[in-house]
Amino acid sequence: METFETRAPGEPAIRPLRPEDEAGVARLLAACEDYFVAATGSAALPADVQSLYYSLPEGADFDQKHLLVLWHEDTPVGLVDAVRGHPDPATCSVGLFLLDPRVRGAGLGTRAARRLLRAAEARGTRRVTATCPPDWAPGVAFLRRLGFELHRPEPRQSPTVGNRLRRPAETRLCTAVLRLGADAGGAPAPGDQAGGGAS
């Protein structure tokens, strides 16, 4: 995936994860302990950075995987883990959209997400899926702000969650769906929603 360098002032830079980013991303995962505890029951480990490269849902290919880093003031402040074209060609499955707690609430995550949603729609994506712990208030607010519909955890758990294999403790995640373009059914476009990032 290309770098998203063209941006308005104050928007984070978005580019693919590079090997030299791994130490900064490991620090980001550690800073987001509150999310990982809510989602999986335990904090992230340093090895989780490496596992991001290989974690795929059944039926997906590695060329569909996109790991993006959000940069602000020369610091990695966000991470996006997505699989394009899964589970069908018109869908993008987002496994993670993390934002460093130090910059939450400033709108960086919302602006970055809107840019990525516009780019995905331009490439033919018509549906974006994500997951979120139901009691994770920042994530629920973030998804609703972007126009996602949230659905309660399913009683029967599939072996995958979002765009990767399910961890044993991931049993209570809501699913979130956003329809883009003509499939949006008259809903406001992602860029028209109210602002202020919280993920």
Side-chain angles (χ1 to χ4, degrees), residues 34-41 130-137 140 143 150-158 160-162 164 166-176:
D34 53 352
Y35 166 78
F36 284 104
V37 169
T40 70
T131 59
C132 184
D135 52 356
W136 175 242
V140 169
L143 289 166
L150 271 73
H151 305 278
R152 294 185 179 276
E154 298 176 6
R156 294 186 62 191
Q157 303 294 322
S158 70
T160 60
V161 56
R164 57 184 169 71
R166 184 185 295 275
R167 295 179 184 180
E170 293 177 302
T171 58
R172 293 186 56 250
L173 297 180
C174 291
T175 56

Side-chain angles (χ1 to χ4, degrees), residues 30-197:
C32 294
E33 178 179 357
D34 53 352
Y35 166 78
F36 284 104
V37 169
T40 70
S42 62
L45 301 172
D48 287 340
V49 178
Q50 287 293 324
S51 70
L52 287 170
Y53 292 101
Y54 306 106
S55 184
L56 282 171
E58 186 176 345
D61 295 322
F62 284 105
D63 62 351
Q64 294 173 263
K65 177 87 162 190
H66 300 281
L67 295 171
L68 303 173
V69 181
L70 281 59
W71 287 82
H72 182 64
E73 297 178 354
D74 299 321
T75 302
V77 296
L79 176 71
V80 180
D81 171 12
V83 175
R84 190 187 301 165
H86 178 80
D88 58 72
T91 300
C92 179
S93 298
V94 178
L96 284 176
F97 193 112
L98 293 178
L99 201 64
D100 190 305
R102 294 172 296 179
V103 298
R104 291 178 192 165
L108 293 177
T110 300
R111 292 194 296 273
R114 288 177 177 160
R115 254 166 76 208
L116 291 170
L117 289 169
R118 286 192 298 268
E121 183 178 352
R123 289 181 186 82
T125 297
R126 293 295 171 257
R127 184 172 174 261
V128 179
T129 63
T131 59
C132 184
D135 52 356
W136 175 242
V140 169
F142 176 70
L143 289 166
R144 286 186 172 147
R145 188 177 301 115
L146 292 168
F148 280 81
E149 295 177 8
L150 271 73
H151 305 278
R152 294 185 179 276
E154 298 176 6
R156 294 186 62 191
Q157 303 294 322
S158 70
T160 60
V161 56
N163 68 356
R164 57 184 169 71
L165 295 176
R166 184 185 295 275
R167 295 179 184 180
E170 293 177 302
T171 58
R172 293 186 56 250
L173 297 180
C174 291
T175 56
V177 178
L178 177 66
R179 300 191 184 283
L180 301 175
D183 293 340
D192 296 334
Q193 300 290 325

